[in-house]
Amino acid sequence: MKRYFGRKILVYLLTFFLAVTIDWMIPRFMPGDPIRNMLTRVSVSSNPIAIQKMYDYYSHLFGLDLPLWQQYFNFWKSLFQGDLGISTYIFPTPVAKVLLRAIPYDGFLLVPSILLSWYAGNKFGAFAARSKWLDNTVSPLGYILTATPYMWLGILLAWFFGIVLGIFPIAGAYSYSMSPNLSWRFIGSVLHHWFLPFASLFLVGFGGWAIGMRNMIIYELEADYSHYLGALGAPKKLIRKYAFNNAVLPQITGLALQLGVIVAGALVTEVVFSYPGIGYLLLAAIQNQDYFLIQGCFLFIIIGVLLANFTIDIVYILVDPRTRRGMTGETA
Amino acid sequence: MKRLPIVLSILVAMSMLFAACAPAPTEAPAPVEPAPEQPTEVAEPTEAPAAEPVAEPVPTEYPRAETLYVSGAAWGPASTWNPFQPGSLANTTGTIGYVYEFLYAFDPQSGELTPWLAESGTWSDDTTFDITLRQGLTWSDGEPLTAEDVAFTFNLGQQYEALWFSPMWRYVESVTATGDNAVQFKLSAAPLYQEFSNNLYNVPIVPKHLWESKSEEDITVGANEKPVGSGAYMYLTNAEDRNVWVRNENWWGKEVFGTPAPKYIVDIRTSSNNVALGMVLKGELDLSNNFLPGVAELANKGYVKTYFAGPPYMLSANTAVLFLNTTKKPMDDAAFRRALAFAIDVPSIVNVAYAQLVKAASPTGLLPVLEKFDDQDVLASLGYSFDTEKAKQMLADAGYVDVDGDGFVEAPDGSAIELQVTCPNGWTDWMAAIDIIASSSQTAGINIQAAYPDYGAWNTELQGGTFDMTLNNWASMSNTPWTLYNLLFRHPIQEQMQSGNFGRYENQEMFDLVDALAQVPSTDVEGMQAACSDIQELMLTDMPMIPLWYNGMWAQWSDSTWTNWPDENAASPTLPTTWSGYWQLGGLQTLINLKPAGE
């Protein structure tokens, strides 16, 4: 057990280190200069001394006048102190503050949609595999849903439910006529605005999981052990239970693999619905070459994806007896 | 099957951990003070005594009938309320105009400076300008606004070079309070009158009693949260995607200008233009100042209102100019540049790329509101218009012929010409426009390809002068043609050109002409016209850059909650815009003129 986790944690730490290093490098390889972008349109250029002074001032402020290796070193140093730097695009707000404002919305959107679509998709896929009629109608729908780009589904939902039917808002995280407060009206408004972006993430995920589960169940029901159980006279319900337990394992692996895609999907969905998570921030940060905000956004994504993968590793131990035995050195 | 509930409960527990990294989602992202539970209906403003600002509870809900929803001004979350903040940062918040005010306003339709904080201003001689402030001016914290505040503000420019208006101190000798309401500007010989009058309506006046104790850093780059100004609105709250302003019920200007109709203004930052469009159609947004392609169609069907009922639908806000990098071949050749001006299919840009939402620009580049400074004789002899055949002829005359038979001309020295025209990626209207620039130039035999770097990369190329040709429109509507010509012929040429003359056109004669224009007193219209004629003649002969079309003052609105928007039929139309820098150009008057629907 200890060895297993020791190894896992080492791998995760190494991944984290590499991912964060790449995260630090990529914005700096982009062509352009964040300070120049920030100072764009300042009317002081008729005064060359003033403009150079301002440029130097800001370069120093952001530590961009140092050699690269030193910037990299300082980056890790301040990262361990919890300091993510100051955004150039929304100067002078600290990146940590910007992210803290935005991340709750991401969690609020991502966590329910990932878990619910996974759970409902698997349940439904297993269910659909039982009935020919359901299989014929639901499978094509699932294929369509899972192939839909998140953004496109989002636009369709916004157009139909937001504009044609007018029953859901199309933008914002809560009504533009409210300021946050603890009241049922406000909570209702939050849920009302949350529903469509959630639904577009949920539906795409749901289609994929349902299809996957349906195929896995059919495969497992055709496996030798199922036929053997059947020949022994076991009830159909029991056979399906075993089939489901086996079929769910690849789905868990699939979830780990899909996380990155889902997070990226959530980012574009947020742009479609003007939802104030990090989606729009990241887009704007990249366009404005805001090194620090880009780093911060990706750092959040890296930590999120790694944590979720780690969780899935633990889940694996719980659901797959083979992993557990292998770990404790038992032999099957 | 038995294990699944366990699995799920673990997943849920983990997800909670995941979510616990951050505060609960329903928590306020905005720094709202813990306000007592408010009834949904906000109580009518109790007349707070002017001297002591009572900490009014922050309302949790803004009644629809009292609230104006706008978008298109903010490009990011509000981060600073410092009116001196460089770049476009403070511009996104409405700080300047709502909260901080100016000595003067400028009415672009009549072309006149109109007094704002000032009551009157007189030139007692060529270098002395005396301003009398209005009586009873107050800051929103109740303190009186006096001549001391005005003098203090302008003197900050002398003290700190990092402030954008600091260069005016090259010719300003002193700004002093000569009485409670009197300010005197002493200028040196040969002042830049044009810049001076421009600054009169662009330098926001800040309260001395709050700013004099601030450090240099606080003044130049501080965020200035909870700003105290003298204007018609006050900061209420902000979040990732919105800024909320509340009317200053004690605004001194109520008696002078009138009361702005909306009690609350919610300035929404939409993440994409289709969101803004959807919100206007739903009546959730009263005024959108976003560029919405295809809005002409919606205006024709009556879904939205625009300034003009027909093309170009929008007022012209600024000139899209094609800057040519004159340090590169063959753009260093005036004959080539002039031929290019004839090769570009501006009618298609107007009709196809913009679907008639814009107007073709005058070859002088001046906006329609500055039309009186266009020299018609110069235009008649040196103006240009789309004419492929003529462009081909001009190229041939200048020695640009197709030697190798690939359909594109080569330079007179035989070298191949391969140029790029650029604009930032994602600026869809400009991307469509440079596609047309490239294709119509190719038809005339000039090999130009369109390219769309990211904004940051584009900006670096622009200022560093490594581009071939690119679009730019950074001279906004103004009281003087000098604003545009200062952008086009900014000098001296430096390694980095931050705000003008990106093509590094070096011609001392032109620089002298622009400097001469800058020194004409802004009351001397004939003198300005004469100076402009000289500039225009040289500009159209040498063609260092090519003005192509006027970008619109994008504005589409809905009448469902607020009416009496300015349009072409209004008696004295103001500007229907919330863009920064336009509040003092009549934007505020638009708010004052609004009427609740159904009245």
Side-chain angles (χ1 to χ4, degrees), chain A residues 31-33 36-51 53-54 57-58 61 88-93 97-98 100-105 108 111 115 118-119 123 155 162-163 166 168-183 185-187 190 241 244-245 248 270-274 276-277 280-281 286-289 300 304 307 311 314-315 318-319 321 324, chain B residues 1-4 6-8 10-12 14-15 18-19 21-30 32 37 40 58-62 69 75-80 85-89 161-167 170 195 217 220-223 225 237-242 266 268-272 274-275 278-279 281-282 284 425 454-457 459-460 463 473-474 490-492 494 496 498-499:
Chain A
D33 181 338
R36 296 253 175 252
N37 287 336
M38 188 183 162
L39 295 180
T40 295
R41 292 208 218 197
V42 194
S43 337
V44 293
S45 58
S46 51
N47 188 339
I49 304 159
I51 196 81
K53 256 188 138 169
M54 280 177 87
Y57 177 81
Y58 283 103
L61 192 70
T88 57
Y89 153 67
I90 25 184
F91 186 80
T93 323
K97 198 172 154 191
V98 180
L100 276 184
R101 275 194 315 217
I103 283 174
Y105 294 107
F108 188 41
V111 175
L115 293 185
W118 192 85
Y119 179 71
K123 276 285 177 193
I155 292 175
I163 295 177
F168 281 106
I170 56 171
Y174 51 89
S175 168
Y176 288 112
S177 70
M178 288 185 175
S179 64
N181 59 97
L182 259 183
S183 69
R185 267 181 73 80
F186 179 72
I187 294 170
V190 169
K241 198 186 124 183
F244 187 88
N245 281 353
V248 87
E270 282 168 8
V271 173
V272 169
F273 288 99
S274 227
Y280 181 81
L281 281 178
I286 291 173
Q287 279 166 351
N288 290 280
Q289 294 187 306
F300 160 70
L307 265 184
T311 314
I314 296 172
V315 168
L318 293 171
V319 297
R324 215 167 32 228
Chain B
M1 202 63 145
K2 217 186 288 165
R3 279 219 178 84
L4 197 62
I6 308 174
V7 175
L8 273 173
I10 290 165
L11 275 177
V12 168
M14 275 304 179
S15 73
F18 189 1
C21 304
T26 42
E27 207 71 50
V32 181
E37 272 287 327
T40 35
V58 177
T60 55
E61 214 168 331
Y62 325 118
Y69 293 94
W75 286 98
S79 60
T80 173
Q85 190 54 256
S88 49
L89 286 168
E161 275 184 348
L163 296 180
W164 66 264
F165 56 94
S166 169
R170 282 170 299 154
E195 183 187 86
E217 191 177 335
T220 52
V221 297
E225 276 152 357
T237 177
N238 77 299
E240 264 289 296
D241 56 357
R242 69 198 73 182
V266 182
I268 298 170
R269 182 219 76 201
T270 54
S271 59
S272 63
N274 63 319
V275 173
M279 291 179 72
L281 293 178
K282 289 184 79 175
E284 288 177 353
N425 195 5
D454 275 334
Y455 176 79
N459 198 21
T460 305
Q463 300 182 10
N473 66 332
W474 287 356
R490 176 71 84 157
H491 54 276
Q494 290 159 244
Q496 292 285 332
Q498 294 266 138
S499 50

Side-chain angles (χ1 to χ4, degrees), chain A residues 14-286:
Chain A
L14 203 66
T15 317
F16 179 75
F17 174 76
L18 282 177
V20 170
T21 301
I22 293 172
D23 177 25
W24 178 85
M25 261 160 41
I26 286 182
R28 283 170 176 78
F29 283 137
M30 288 161 61
D33 181 338
I35 308 291
R36 296 253 175 252
N37 287 336
M38 188 183 162
L39 295 180
T40 295
R41 292 208 218 197
V42 194
S43 337
V44 293
S45 58
S46 51
N47 188 339
I49 304 159
I51 196 81
Q52 193 53 42
K53 256 188 138 169
M54 280 177 87
Y55 184 82
D56 294 345
Y57 177 81
Y58 283 103
S59 293
H60 184 69
L61 192 70
F62 291 105
L64 295 177
D65 52 350
L66 299 170
L68 269 181
W69 64 267
Q70 203 162 354
Q71 287 188 39
Y72 180 68
F73 185 71
N74 288 348
F75 164 71
W76 277 104
K77 208 167 92 186
S78 46
L79 190 62
F80 280 119
Q81 293 165 346
D83 176 13
L84 298 176
I86 293 172
S87 167
T88 57
Y89 153 67
I90 25 184
F91 186 80
T93 323
V95 170
K97 198 172 154 191
V98 180
L99 289 179
L100 276 184
R101 275 194 315 217
I103 283 174
Y105 294 107
D106 290 283
F108 188 41
L109 208 54
L110 277 168
V111 175
S113 61
I114 291 175
L115 293 185
L116 285 176
S117 69
W118 192 85
Y119 179 71
N122 280 325
K123 276 285 177 193
F124 201 79
F127 183 66
R130 276 180 232 177
S131 129
K132 201 153 196 127
W133 178 80
L134 262 179
D135 200 24
N136 284 341
T137 50
V138 171
S139 293
L141 188 70
Y143 278 114
I144 294 174
L145 280 179
T146 188
T148 313
Y150 288 99
M151 190 176 69
W152 191 69
L153 185 68
I155 292 175
L156 277 189
L157 289 177
W159 173 74
F160 189 72
F161 291 101
I163 295 177
V164 177
L165 296 183
I167 49 175
F168 281 106
I170 56 171
Y174 51 89
S175 168
Y176 288 112
S177 70
M178 288 185 175
S179 64
N181 59 97
L182 259 183
S183 69
W184 288 114
R185 267 181 73 80
F186 179 72
I187 294 170
S189 175
V190 169
L191 291 175
H192 198 202
H193 283 74
W194 167 81
F195 186 77
L196 280 187
F198 160 76
S200 61
L201 287 175
F202 174 82
L203 284 174
V204 175
F206 175 82
W209 300 127
I211 292 289
M213 193 49 162
R214 176 226 168 239
N215 294 348
M216 288 308 300
I217 284 278
I218 288 175
Y219 172 79
E220 295 292 344
L221 285 177
E222 292 299 317
D224 287 346
Y225 71 88
S226 300
H227 285 302
Y228 180 65
L229 263 181
L232 287 180
K236 273 216 158 105
K237 216 178 154 195
L238 185 73
I239 303 176
R240 279 210 198 97
K241 198 186 124 183
Y242 275 101
F244 187 88
N245 281 353
N246 280 306
V248 87
L249 292 177
Q251 294 288 83
I252 296 176
T253 317
L255 184 59
L257 291 176
Q258 279 287 304
L259 275 172
V261 179
I262 297 172
V263 170
L267 299 188
V268 289
T269 306
E270 282 168 8
V271 173
V272 169
F273 288 99
S274 227
Y275 204 78
I278 63 171
Y280 181 81
L281 281 178
L282 185 56
L283 184 74
I286 291 173

Side-chain angles (χ1 to χ4, degrees), chain B residues 532-577:
Chain B
C532 286
S533 297
D534 296 339
I535 293 174
Q536 289 163 8
E537 191 171 347
L538 183 55
M539 173 177 163
L540 289 173
T541 314
D542 239 17
M543 214 71 239
M545 64 281 300
I546 311 172
L548 294 176
W549 74 91
Y550 301 125
N551 266 335
M553 181 169 290
W554 318 123
Q556 39 277 323
W557 57 82
S558 143
D559 265 343
S560 56
T561 307
W562 299 101
T563 60
N564 206 26
W565 295 97
D567 62 23
E568 56 182 325
N569 302 319
S572 56
T574 53
L575 299 181
T577 189

